[in-house]
Amino acid sequence: MGIQKFDKSTWTDVCAAVSTGMLGKRAEIEVISHADGILIGAQSLPMIGIAFDPVNDELKIMLDGVDHFVSQPREMYLDFGLGGVQSLGILDNQNAWQIVLLRDPVMLPRRPDVHD
């Protein structure tokens, strides 16, 4: 487990392989750059998956209701834990980091039926 860097030639397959494990997790996207500081791109949205388009050199992070695009990404790191991917780090061509933090949704206990 831990952080693993992936060669760009494998990104299409890696994204397809890890997307199913991300489905339904809650995602927060932070964009960190020297020029703009830390910007929040999304907060606690259900994750659908990620895909890399090598023709357009674009990484797409798909969330419920919004997609986040990273044009000309240079590096991609995945942080694996016991529950699968915990976070992604993508370095873009402007040296800004796109950090995707994944969390399992909060599951509340079932309310006992008042008639039981």
Side-chain angles (χ1 to χ4, degrees):
M1 308 278 170
I3 298 173
Q4 185 174 354
K5 180 180 179 182
F6 289 89
D7 187 77
K8 198 167 189 174
S9 65
T10 66
W11 288 7
T12 301
D13 293 333
V14 168
C15 289
V18 299
S19 282
T20 56
M22 295 178 178
L23 187 61
K25 290 189 179 236
R26 297 290 176 163
E28 178 177 314
I29 299 176
E30 298 176 353
V31 180
I32 304 167
S33 73
H34 291 289
D36 299 321
I38 300 174
L39 303 172
I40 304 298
Q43 198 167 9
S44 195
L45 292 176
M47 183 78 171
I48 296 171
I50 59 172
F52 178 64
D53 176 2
V55 173
N56 294 315
D57 196 17
E58 185 172 72
L59 187 75
K60 181 178 179 182
I61 302 164
M62 297 165 282
L63 306 171
D64 188 12
V66 67
D67 293 335
H68 181 80
F69 294 91
V70 182
S71 297
Q72 300 175 335
R74 295 188 351 214
E75 297 179 16
M76 180 171 68
Y77 299 83
L78 299 178
D79 182 10
F80 293 94
L82 293 175
V85 177
Q86 295 179 330
S87 64
L88 301 100
I90 300 111
L91 182 65
D92 69 17
N93 66 336
Q94 309 250 328
N95 288 328
W97 282 99
Q98 322 284 316
I99 306 294
V100 182
L101 304 170
L102 299 171
R103 305 283 180 257
D104 288 320
V106 176
M107 303 300 285
L108 297 175
R110 185 173 174 261
R111 190 178 135 223
D113 193 347
V114 292
H115 299 291
D116 284 344

